[in-house]
Amino acid sequence: MSMDRQAKAVVCREWGQPVQVETITVEGPKRDEITIKVGACGVCHSDHSATTGKIPYPAPLVLGHEAAGVVVEVGEGVSAFQEGDHVVSSFISMCGKCRQCVRGRPVLCDQARKAMINLPDGTVRTRGADGEPLNVFGACGVMAQYATLHVDNCVKVDPSIPMQNAALVSCAVMTGVGAVFNTAKVEPGSRTAVFGIGGVGLNVVQGCATAGAEMVVAVDTNEGKLAMAREFGATHTINLSEVDDATKAIRKLTGGVDYAFECVGAGTVVEQAYKTLGRGGTAVVVGVSEPKDKTSITTLSLPADERVLRGSWLGSARPVYDFPRILGLYKAGRIKLDELVTRTYTIDEAPQAFDDMLAGKNARGVIVFD
Ligand code: NAD
Ligand code: ZN
């Protein structure tokens, strides 16, 4: 018998207002769903963007899409998961059967597009104090003590990995490392530049280093972030507040990069990243901008220099394959996860975790549950 659970959760009630922690009701799983007790949930800039309307998810909204937890209840028809399994959430709801899924691009699955908000069937298992339905971020809403998710949004992981590390694979690490390994397919000896050294950009930096890039130029406005970038494998750093023209500086240093990654979410930065490319270079847009934001590039440079401008959604992940793959690289000592967790917070401290992210204090801030 499926049961309701009371859970503290981080909720956006109105765009432009700080997040609030409230007690919500999480219904038990229906068919093909599981309920997890969340162990840890990272705070991503996308969560903040959902509270301002930059990512226009309707409020009220339970935040969180970067969590690890333990299965506490399984719904009818679920055979792939059982109570006690450790899982990480995936904001990509892959059906596994459509044309995009079978050609290895589940981030483009129709079900994943539909379930950018709420569960794949459009409903939610979350209610506020007055019984009103609460939307959930990316079919997840895992910044909460409990969450009920569709099995297509869950990936089983090695239970020996601490929750606060495993959680980060479901967004920051997958997005960053995946943009390098899966989207760009950076070759050893490549020259690369990374714009925006947040939780995501830092993982692009370590992805480039792991892929054997000759140069990894990290670009940010915050000196603390650049110091972190050096620890994660950046060979050069550029503080935007100290140079007049970052594009020129990078081109001088590298002769034009083979790969540039935009991890900020602004057309102006996309333009900058594109301008750093050498001939045959690829610019990968990872940051999520406002829907109406535009960018500008020189059209002729596309054919004449064979440049490429492309995007990367969750690091072009195949979650069921890639999440365990990245955790395997962590266990083998090739990917840093411990060092990404600058600070942990209790759920009551969630508003502080958002403030600290905006102040650029953390590689990643992670909410850890009892
Ligand atoms: P964050 O807040 O942790 O980091 C952003 C970084 O960008 C900060 O270090 C900040 O100092 C820096 N920055 C701000 N303006 C800059 C500028 N003009 N030039 C260079 N650096 C600048 O954010 P995050 O969690 O790392 O997320 C980064 C972006 O990636 C966001 O837009 C987020 O929504 C997006 N994102 C995309 C995906 C995807 O699947 N494509 C997944 C997760 C997050
Ligand atoms: Zn995210």
Side-chain angles (χ1 to χ4, degrees):
M1 241 305 268
S2 160
M3 66 182 274
D4 287 357
R5 291 178 174 81
Q6 299 298 297
K8 276 191 185 175
V10 183
V11 179
C12 166
R13 281 278 164 189
E14 196 185 331
W15 288 350
Q17 295 301 311
V19 296
Q20 57 188 63
V21 181
E22 43 182 276
T23 299
I24 66 167
T25 300
V26 177
E27 294 166 11
K30 293 196 184 340
R31 190 172 181 82
D32 294 330
E33 295 173 359
I34 61 177
T35 298
I36 64 169
K37 183 176 190 301
V38 179
C41 181
V43 181
C44 175
H45 204 103
S46 300
D47 291 302
H48 176 258
S49 295
T51 73
T52 60
K54 183 176 183 184
I55 298 180
Y57 286 163
L61 178 75
V62 183
L63 297 165
H65 59 278
E66 188 178 83
V70 180
V71 179
V72 291
E73 194 179 341
V74 302
E76 216 182 299
V78 174
S79 56
F81 297 91
Q82 55 187 30
E83 277 179 41
D85 282 347
H86 284 217
V87 298
V88 298
S89 60
S90 162
F91 68 83
I92 295 303
S93 189
M94 56 175 291
C95 80
K97 299 181 199 75
C98 71
R99 186 167 175 274
Q100 297 291 5
C101 281
V102 296
R103 74 177 183 131
R105 302 188 70 180
V107 298
L108 306 178
C109 170
D110 282 345
Q111 177 176 306
R113 172 56 59 90
K114 207 172 134 209
M116 284 314 298
I117 178 95
N118 300 340
L119 303 195
D121 69 359
T123 65
V124 290
R125 307 287 166 262
T126 36
R127 283 184 274 120
D130 298 328
E132 77 284 15
L134 303 174
N135 297 313
V136 291
F137 187 120
C140 291
V142 283
M143 212 173 274
Q145 289 171 313
Y146 290 97
T148 295
L149 299 99
H150 193 279
V151 287
D152 293 346
N153 289 88
C154 299
V155 176
K156 208 190 286 191
V157 294
D158 179 344
S160 72
I161 295 171
M163 293 271 182
Q164 65 188 49
N165 293 350
L168 300 187
V169 167
S170 61
C171 184
V173 186
M174 184 70 247
T175 300
V177 170
V180 177
F181 290 3
N182 293 344
T183 314
K185 297 191 171 72
V186 169
E187 311 90 359
S190 299
R191 299 179 178 186
T192 64
V194 187
F195 291 76
I197 311 298
V200 172
L202 207 49
N203 279 293
V204 173
V205 168
Q206 76 163 330
C208 288
T210 304
E214 177 201 348
M215 289 183 181
V216 185
V217 186
V219 187
D220 204 294
T221 47
N222 176 330
E223 194 52 48
K225 295 300 183 78
L226 296 175
M228 289 180 199
R230 285 188 284 271
E231 278 172 40
F232 277 73
T235 56
H236 302 79
T237 52
I238 292 184
N239 188 332
L240 286 171
S241 48
E242 288 169 5
V243 294
D244 292 335
D245 187 338
T247 305
K248 216 169 164 187
I250 295 168
R251 293 191 69 87
K252 193 167 169 215
L253 196 63
T254 63
V257 298
D258 302 310
Y259 299 98
F261 297 87
E262 194 276 0
C263 307
V264 176
T268 48
V269 184
V270 173
E271 191 178 330
Q272 255 184 322
Y274 186 82
K275 279 187 179 162
T276 64
L277 296 179
R279 303 194 74 194
T282 298
V284 180
V285 181
V286 178
V288 178
S289 57
E290 284 163 26
K292 287 188 177 153
D293 191 43
K294 291 210 166 74
T295 197
S296 163
I297 58 169
T298 320
T299 315
L300 180 61
S301 62
L302 287 162
D305 288 343
E306 290 205 341
R307 291 198 208 182
V308 177
L309 175 63
R310 64 164 302 176
S312 178
W313 197 242
L314 188 60
S316 308
R318 290 90 17 117
V320 180
Y321 168 62
D322 281 316
F323 290 3
R325 173 162 83 123
I326 291 174
L327 291 173
L329 285 170
Y330 161 67
K331 285 190 89 169
R334 306 226 188 278
I335 290 281
K336 294 187 207 296
L337 294 183
D338 305 75
E339 296 83 348
L340 277 175
V341 184
T342 311
R343 187 178 158 188
T344 61
Y345 301 82
T346 65
I347 187 155
D348 292 316
E349 293 170 332
Q352 185 66 47
F354 277 78
D355 288 348
D356 289 351
M357 176 178 64
L358 296 179
K361 290 188 181 166
N362 298 332
R364 213 45 152 187
V366 180
I367 297 170
V368 173
F369 299 82
D370 301 332

